[in-house]
Amino acid sequence: QVQLVESGGGLVQPGGSLRLSCTASGRTFSRNTIGWFRRAPGKERAFVAFIRWSRGSTYHADPVKGRFTISRDSAKNTVYLQMNSVAPEDTAIYYCAGTNVIGVVTGEKMYDVWGQGTQVTVSS
């Protein structure tokens, strides 16, 4: 079973930037789509973005559109989440997840492989 590992979280000031990474424990993700989700304090886990591994096509949730960008590096078997213009409401644990479900995969139940999460805190 492939395992996903997130990294890159930390403390960032409002308006700043951060880049999260997601790698697979094996050689590949073994999933056709990798997504990012986040769980803010006291809230349900919410979809952030996903990327189709083969075509590189992406989909971003409205709250992060224009500020966050999901991308992948095939040579490094890594998916990134570039976070720009962050705000305190972006504070959350960020998870990457994988799925082979086809379509617009924005629901967490559509994903069957998850990482352990990385904390992002936006504060001055």
Side-chain angles (χ1 to χ4, degrees):
Q1 175 78 336
V2 64
Q3 292 181 322
L4 306 184
V5 180
E6 304 94 338
S7 62
L11 175 65
V12 59
Q13 292 187 342
S17 297
L18 204 63
R19 188 177 76 164
L20 306 182
S21 300
C22 175
T23 58
S25 58
R27 292 175 57 189
T28 67
F29 284 98
S30 299
R31 297 294 185 275
N32 63 34
T33 301
I34 302 299
W36 284 97
F37 288 76
R38 66 185 182 183
R39 188 194 302 273
K43 294 187 177 180
E44 299 288 321
R45 189 155 54 185
F47 168 76
V48 176
F50 74 72
I51 186 167
R52 301 289 191 200
W53 185 262
S54 60
R55 301 181 65 177
S57 54
T58 63
Y59 185 94
H60 296 78
D62 285 344
V64 306
K65 201 170 293 183
R67 300 188 300 123
F68 293 8
T69 303
I70 190 171
S71 63
R72 56 117 167 79
D73 185 328
S74 300
K76 295 183 179 180
N77 280 321
T78 301
V79 171
Y80 301 102
L81 184 69
Q82 178 66 44
M83 306 168 59
N84 297 329
S85 301
V86 297
E89 53 265 34
D90 295 318
T91 294
I93 300 173
Y94 284 73
Y95 302 88
C96 67
T99 181
N100 283 327
V101 173
I102 303 299
V104 180
V105 283
T106 58
E108 63 174 313
K109 293 183 178 180
M110 297 177 175
Y111 291 77
D112 63 336
V113 178
W114 291 83
Q116 82 290 347
T118 186
Q119 176 71 48
V120 172
T121 301
V122 183
S123 175
S124 56

